[in-house]
Amino acid sequence: MNQENGTVLKTKNKQPIKAISYQDLYLLKETLEQLQSWTAVLELLDEFFANRLLPLDKKKIIKEFHSLSRIYGMFMDDFSTCTDDLENQVEKLMVKEKVKVSQ
């Protein structure tokens, strides 16, 4: 398939190869790391909600629940932003220019 600037490279399955820069990969990695940074906090939330065998101290539960619900709210905001960013990044990668070889 010849085009104006050369031949488009294709895979074995006859699919065009897209040009993906290091910057594109770096942005994806950065967003993924931002999501992974929540691991320790989410483990703390999981421990709080999974621990049902201890005697109930209503004041302590109310205090912890309030603070953990705020943390969860921040996580949901950040998660929503990150997933939107990832979606946009992937969409941009999908429409990237195909790799061409000059002849």
Side-chain angles (χ1 to χ4, degrees):
M1 174 178 256
N2 287 334
Q3 293 189 355
E4 297 172 357
N5 296 336
T7 305
V8 175
L9 289 179
K10 295 190 177 188
T11 65
K12 292 178 184 178
N13 297 334
K14 307 285 189 231
Q15 297 297 316
I17 298 174
K18 302 210 180 212
I20 299 174
S21 68
Y22 180 77
Q23 182 64 26
D24 296 328
L25 295 174
Y26 181 77
L27 287 173
L28 285 173
K29 184 176 186 238
E30 187 177 275
T31 307
L32 181 61
E33 286 174 351
Q34 187 175 352
L35 285 172
Q36 289 174 333
S37 71
W38 282 99
T39 302
V41 175
L42 291 174
E43 287 173 357
L44 177 67
L45 283 170
D46 183 49
E47 181 181 319
F48 172 76
F49 288 109
N51 195 0
R52 302 201 188 280
L53 300 177
L54 295 177
L56 296 178
D57 178 358
K58 290 181 183 178
K59 289 182 181 180
K60 182 179 178 187
I61 289 174
I62 291 170
K63 181 194 249 181
E64 288 180 3
F65 182 80
H66 177 72
S67 61
L68 293 176
S69 69
R70 298 280 309 242
I71 291 171
Y72 180 75
M74 288 187 294
F75 164 73
M76 283 305 298
D77 292 342
D78 193 45
F79 183 79
S80 178
T81 301
C82 286
T83 53
D84 290 344
D85 289 347
L86 280 173
E87 186 177 321
N88 291 335
Q89 291 167 1
V90 169
E91 285 176 7
K92 287 178 184 176
L93 291 177
M94 291 176 73
V95 297
K96 280 281 195 173
E97 183 177 328
K98 278 84 174 160
V99 175
K100 297 177 184 169
V101 178
S102 301
Q103 293 180 349

